Amino acid sequence: MRLVIQKGMIQRTLETLSFDNTYARLPQAFYARLNPTPFSAPPYLIHANQFAAELIDLDPEQSTRPEFAELFGGNALAPGMEPLAMLYSGHQFGVYVPQLGDGRAILLGEATNERGERWDLHLKGAGMTPFSRDGDGRAVLRSTIREYLCCAAMQGLGIPTTQALCIVGSDDKVYREQIETGAMLVRMAPSHVRFGSFEVLYYRKQYDHLKTLADYVIDQHFPHLRDVDEKYAQFFTEVVARTARLIAHWQAVGWAHGVMNTDNMSILGLTMDYGPYGFMDDYDAGFICNHSDYNGRYAFNQQPYIGLWNLSCLAQALLPLAEKTALKAGLETYQPLFDREYQKQMREKVGLADEQTGDAELIQDFLGLLQGSHADYTMVFRELSTLSTKKDAVHEKVREHFLNRERFDEWAVRYRDRLRREHSHDEERCDRMNRVNPKYVLRNYLAQIAIEKAQHKDFSEVDRLFTLLQTPFADQPGMESYALPPPNWGKHLAVSCSS
Ligand code: AMP
Ligand code: MG
């Protein structure tokens, strides 16, 4: 789904943004009110996302005003903002942590647009909150750029995600494993409620509050369920479906989240809380993108199962509101839905227009070949579209990605047979495949180059990647090198949680 800018929409200024804070009207136990803590050094704009601005009717030109960096650098508030840090808890690496909450992010308010949509504006890196635990409440430029660019990449790929409005920098130092530059990011989502927002109320036995939260989320985001029977179980079943679809997208595009704790799981089924995530370069089903994930709990091929595990935590938290059997039935819809969605996306990736017996094996065997050859996931799928069904056609371009060429040839015979069985037409299939197999993804090394330049105040590469990733399926002249696998230094870069 691409963002469409509607002509003639209201163009608001920073002063006329419209806020309506429904979350601040929920019980005080749900949050702590506080203002952002500004940087000590002056804030400056690093990048602004015009598409995200349009979502809240904000004139993109507003980002050029110094007041923009002041506002989104935590130095000022706009009329109607009621800043607060949201409370939540969650299961981190399988262990329940009774209190988490926004430790370094502040919900500034909900901007409403002309279409009546609400967008939470969340300022990440805005200083300490009552939920900061041992943290300093700050975010570093490195992680902020990674989140900003990956939101753009996911949006471009059509994968549900939180949005990022802008990055504001400052010369303030932030202490991590080394001294780094600080930055703030404005994250936008229709809601920042997480699985963990429900868990904290359940484990505190605040069942009235739990119901209030569920009613609030249903009212705002699942309005068609307001008056149905067993509405909480129905709501849960919809969250199951959204989560299954989301994770099917991740698996198909070869993306790992890295920290799928229940506090990082959006109740709306959005990709959220970008940390040590990674797009795979060479295909490895057991890919672990998070350097601190020693046991591979959140390895690439574990994600579908972890999605289910996390949903079972949410089901547990909803027990005071819904029948156990109904929640269990909701949970049982996950696996078949995930399988169906994943297989559908994978069939599309290999250009199959219909579904036939043996397709799942054909796809699985292809992935096995990729794994054996450490072949580049994105590139091979993109180039597979050039394979012709014509007898004796040569397919050297794809073939050269494989170490064992004979095994690839055997697979290609099966694949061509399968394509012929549905009378696949080369050109038409190629077009179709190029619309689902991205040419450009946010490879870790590309983000790394942009970060290193940004650390020297050169933001041109952030801008270049941002633009590139808007249209990842299009061949973009002059950008060929961005589609290539990483150079040696850029393979298997270590990314950890310390951001
Ligand atoms: P994450 O793994 O980034 O989802 O973070 C887990 C929890 O730690 C969340 O409650 C964050 O708000 C909190 N947190 C992460 N980094 C910091 C930080 N630098 N200062 C305060 N809290 C943090
Ligand atoms: Mg988090």
Side-chain angles (χ1 to χ4, degrees):
M1 180 184 58
R2 302 271 318 123
L3 291 175
V4 179
I5 300 180
Q6 296 175 1
K7 292 272 175 277
M9 64 166 46
I10 294 230
Q11 297 275 285
R12 293 184 198 272
T13 64
L14 295 172
E15 290 74 17
T16 58
L17 274 175
S18 172
F19 285 96
D20 176 27
N21 294 5
T22 54
Y23 211 80
R25 276 181 245 131
L26 292 172
Q28 286 181 13
F30 288 28
Y31 52 79
R33 288 179 190 270
L34 82 168
N35 287 343
T37 312
F39 291 121
S40 46
Y44 49 86
L45 181 69
I46 290 181
H47 205 272
N49 178 342
Q50 55 173 338
F51 304 102
E54 299 275 357
L55 293 174
I56 54 172
D57 298 347
L58 179 65
D59 178 358
E61 286 297 310
Q62 291 287 307
S63 66
T64 58
R65 293 173 56 193
E67 289 86 352
F68 187 92
E70 292 285 326
L71 180 62
F72 297 123
N75 270 349
L77 292 174
M81 284 180 171
E82 287 179 68
L84 56 88
M86 295 165 84
L87 170 77
Y88 51 82
S89 66
H91 281 81
Q92 296 197 314
F93 288 88
V95 179
Y96 185 65
V97 182
Q99 187 181 300
L100 294 162
D102 292 331
R104 55 165 166 169
I106 290 182
L107 174 63
L108 295 173
E110 300 159 19
T112 56
N113 66 19
E114 270 295 287
R115 296 178 295 287
E117 297 161 348
R118 294 163 188 282
W119 287 91
D120 281 6
L121 261 59
H122 222 94
L123 187 58
K124 203 165 166 182
M128 283 172 61
T129 78
F131 312 124
S132 294
R133 298 179 296 159
D134 301 326
D136 58 3
R138 292 299 184 198
V140 299
L141 180 62
R142 169 176 53 89
S143 65
T144 304
I145 290 176
R146 281 176 51 84
E147 171 152 5
Y148 186 79
L149 290 177
C150 202
C151 286
M154 291 306 221
Q155 180 68 32
L157 290 165
I159 301 178
T161 178
T162 57
Q163 310 277 335
L165 176 65
C166 61
I167 306 179
V168 172
S170 150
D171 292 341
D172 276 17
K173 296 290 164 236
V174 174
Y175 296 87
R176 293 290 180 267
E177 279 149 23
Q178 53 204 32
I179 299 176
E180 298 199 38
T181 316
M184 292 191 201
L185 174 117
V186 177
R187 178 167 63 185
M188 292 185 6
S191 170
H192 280 77
V193 171
R194 306 139 188 273
F195 291 9
S197 313
F198 289 89
E199 288 180 283
V200 70
L201 302 174
Y202 169 75
Y203 285 101
R204 289 183 177 183
K205 297 194 168 50
Q206 296 175 327
Y207 301 148
D208 287 349
H209 283 346
L210 185 70
K211 182 171 177 309
T212 304
L213 180 65
D215 285 337
Y216 168 80
V217 171
I218 290 170
D219 200 50
Q220 296 250 332
H221 305 289
F222 302 81
H224 54 288
L225 298 180
R226 274 180 202 145
D227 302 314
V228 303
D229 288 344
E230 299 194 325
K231 71 169 175 177
Y232 302 111
Q234 293 287 335
F235 156 63
F236 175 68
T237 305
E238 290 205 14
V239 178
V240 169
R242 288 184 185 214
T243 307
R245 282 196 208 101
L246 176 70
I247 298 176
H249 269 296
W250 293 354
Q251 300 309 113
V253 81
W255 188 83
H257 182 286
V259 204
M260 285 179 71
N261 294 332
T262 56
D263 51 297
N264 292 337
M265 298 291 291
S266 150
I267 203 72
L268 300 183
L270 307 172
T271 310
M272 88 182 296
D273 274 19
Y274 291 86
Y277 68 80
F279 282 93
M280 268 191 283
D281 294 307
D282 53 317
Y283 181 72
D284 173 12
F287 171 55
I288 303 170
C289 60
N290 180 354
H291 191 53
S292 321
D293 182 7
Y294 308 111
N295 298 317
R297 179 180 172 86
Y298 298 138
F300 174 72
N301 58 5
Q302 295 302 302
Q303 296 189 125
Y305 161 72
I306 292 291
L308 179 62
W309 194 91
N310 288 345
L311 284 161
S312 75
C313 292
L314 178 63
Q316 175 82 28
L318 295 176
L319 275 175
L321 305 181
E323 290 294 333
K324 190 173 178 179
T325 46
L327 291 169
K328 205 161 164 273
L331 211 49
E332 280 166 4
T333 61
Y334 177 85
Q335 198 64 49
L337 208 157
F338 171 81
D339 289 341
R340 207 166 53 241
E341 191 61 32
Y342 175 71
Q343 290 300 337
K344 175 175 161 282
Q345 292 198 30
M346 293 308 286
R347 277 198 308 276
E348 286 169 2
K349 280 177 80 70
V350 296
L352 300 179
D354 64 17
E355 186 179 354
Q356 295 183 14
T357 328
D359 288 349
E361 288 72 24
L362 186 74
I363 290 162
Q364 197 48 46
D365 290 348
F366 187 58
L367 293 177
L369 283 175
L370 289 178
Q371 173 106 24
S373 295
H374 304 287
D376 189 84
Y377 188 76
T378 307
M379 222 178 155
V380 172
F381 273 102
R382 182 77 181 187
E383 291 184 355
L384 191 65
S385 65
T386 61
L387 195 138
S388 166
T389 52
K390 290 191 187 70
K391 212 167 175 286
D392 304 324
V394 280
H395 38 257
E396 276 312 317
K397 201 171 170 193
V398 193
R399 197 173 184 257
E400 67 193 24
H401 287 281
F402 295 89
L403 296 175
N404 188 333
R405 309 253 154 106
E406 288 71 38
R407 282 198 54 210
F408 170 73
D409 290 340
E410 284 161 26
W411 183 86
V413 169
R414 285 166 62 200
Y415 177 52
R416 282 163 141 183
D417 284 348
R418 171 64 185 81
L419 291 174
R420 283 196 206 104
R421 278 208 302 280
E422 66 175 36
H423 311 291
S424 196
H425 181 273
D426 284 351
E427 238 172 83
E428 183 275 333
R429 184 181 65 256
C430 179
D431 276 358
R432 209 164 8 93
M433 288 174 76
N434 285 347
R435 272 182 266 127
V436 293
N437 291 306
K439 178 156 180 175
Y440 307 102
V441 292
L442 182 60
R443 297 173 184 275
N444 258 346
Y445 92 97
L446 291 174
Q448 192 55 33
I449 293 172
I451 289 164
E452 282 168 22
K453 286 196 171 169
Q455 280 161 343
H456 294 97
K457 293 239 169 85
D458 172 358
F459 307 121
S460 60
E461 199 60 24
V462 171
D463 187 53
R464 191 167 298 120
L465 285 178
F466 179 83
T467 306
L468 177 80
L469 296 167
Q470 302 289 319
T471 48
F473 300 107
D475 289 316
Q476 299 188 36
M479 301 301 281
E480 295 304 318
S481 66
Y482 287 76
L484 297 176
N488 276 337
W489 70 264
K491 288 180 181 158
H492 312 290
L493 293 173
V495 187
S496 76
C497 283
S498 66
S499 54

